[in-house]
Amino acid sequence: MGRLPTYCDKLSRYAARHSLQNWLTLAGQQPVISITFDDVLASAAHEGARILEKYGCRGTFYIAGSLTSRQEEGRPAHTLSDILDLQARSHEIGSHGWGHINYAKAVNAEIHTDQSKNLAFLQSHLNQSAGSSFAYPFGQYDLRSKLLTARAHSSCRILGNGLHRQRADLNLLGCHRLYGPGRQQNQWQLLLNTMQPGDWLIVNTHEVEFDCGTYGCTPTDLATFIEAAQSLGSLILPVASAISHYRSQP
């Protein structure tokens, strides 16, 4: 069993939520949804991307370089070829750190090395904008890691609280888990039904397989979500594109 959060841990997370904010004003005629993939298992790079493209959408794929051409919980992860192919097909390549470590427990030097190594890996194969969007491994963060991560990335995403209204803190974006109980339609349909023009909903999952595990969804789940979102008039954009969209609003 993992270490239970201490009072200091909880205080640091509270402070992170209420300080070091980089506010993005949310406005527009349509709600926006960003579909993101953490770790990027092979099925996400292949089946997940294929489903998005079927509906004319693109997603954000948060790559942890140490998982490239390896396995995650017994499932094959992405390859370098997958990363190159995703970018060539106009998906966004984000960073998930190199070693998939818990930033709330890592010391400053570990965080800096983990971020720098992954950015160097992505940018050496793609371009200088690769990895500008970041997702915390395990969704774990504190005030110190928020400060360090915000310095190196244009947006940083955690887990939970995925519906943003009126404004969003680019240094601590939330997301709805499209896995576990959260992949059930009665869970996400409530969010879609409450969305207003200008709202921004971010969702995330891992593998996209019919025999998905605890942290994934099925191809049917993903397609059904996209169809429902589009039927309600939502734009589906990668994270960086969504930010650009909001910044272009009058």
Side-chain angles (χ1 to χ4, degrees):
M1 180 180 295
R3 178 179 66 88
L4 294 176
T6 67
Y7 174 77
C8 289
D9 294 333
K10 294 178 181 178
L11 184 62
S12 184
R13 286 171 67 92
Y14 177 86
R17 290 193 297 271
H18 297 279
S19 62
L20 299 175
Q21 289 136 332
N22 179 15
W23 292 116
L24 173 70
T25 300
L26 306 182
Q29 298 301 309
Q30 296 172 274
V32 176
I33 295 174
S34 294
I35 299 173
T36 70
F37 302 86
D38 292 5
D39 305 349
V40 190
L41 295 228
S43 61
H46 301 158
E47 186 67 5
R50 183 194 67 78
I51 293 170
L52 285 169
E53 292 164 17
K54 175 183 175 181
Y55 293 97
C57 309
R58 297 298 185 270
T60 299
F61 293 77
Y62 292 108
I63 300 288
S66 67
L67 296 179
T68 303
S69 297
R70 300 186 67 181
Q71 290 196 337
E72 172 73 353
E73 297 195 353
R75 298 175 188 267
H78 62 274
T79 64
L80 178 57
S81 177
D82 290 332
I83 298 173
L84 296 172
D85 188 50
L86 285 169
Q87 188 188 60
R89 289 151 60 191
S90 300
H91 295 280
E92 180 187 9
I93 303 300
S95 175
H96 205 33
W98 175 263
H100 206 264
I101 64 174
N102 185 331
Y103 276 37
K105 296 180 180 179
V107 300
N108 289 10
E110 289 176 314
I111 292 173
H112 176 73
T113 298
D114 188 70
Q115 293 177 353
S116 299
K117 187 173 183 179
N118 208 50
L119 287 172
F121 167 71
L122 294 175
Q123 293 172 5
S124 68
H125 292 291
L126 301 174
N127 54 47
Q128 291 304 301
S129 67
S132 61
S133 297
F134 179 84
Y136 284 93
F138 314 106
Q140 295 298 311
Y141 66 95
D142 58 7
L143 181 61
R144 175 182 51 88
S145 58
K146 181 181 183 182
L147 173 62
L148 295 171
T149 305
R151 288 175 175 171
H153 302 86
S154 59
S155 71
C156 307
R157 203 219 69 207
I158 56 172
L159 297 175
N161 303 315
L163 181 58
H164 306 82
R165 178 166 293 160
Q166 297 184 337
R167 64 180 187 175
D169 179 8
L170 293 178
N171 292 341
L172 210 66
L173 296 171
C175 76
H176 171 77
R177 299 170 177 88
L178 201 63
Y179 58 85
R183 74 182 177 95
Q184 302 302 317
Q185 185 164 356
N186 65 339
Q187 296 290 313
W188 53 255
Q189 191 71 59
L190 290 173
L191 288 172
L192 294 185
N193 290 344
T194 60
M195 291 187 74
Q196 301 174 10
D199 285 357
W200 186 15
L201 174 65
I202 304 175
V203 303
N204 86 301
T205 193
H206 295 77
E207 71 269 16
V208 182
E209 304 175 25
F210 283 108
D211 64 340
C212 69
T214 305
Y215 301 104
C217 69
T218 69
T220 302
D221 292 331
L222 182 57
T224 302
F225 175 81
I226 294 172
E227 289 176 359
Q230 291 184 331
S231 73
L232 296 173
S234 299
L235 290 173
I236 299 180
L237 300 171
V239 171
S241 297
I243 294 170
S244 295
H245 165 78
Y246 284 116
R247 285 179 171 160
S248 71
Q249 298 303 303

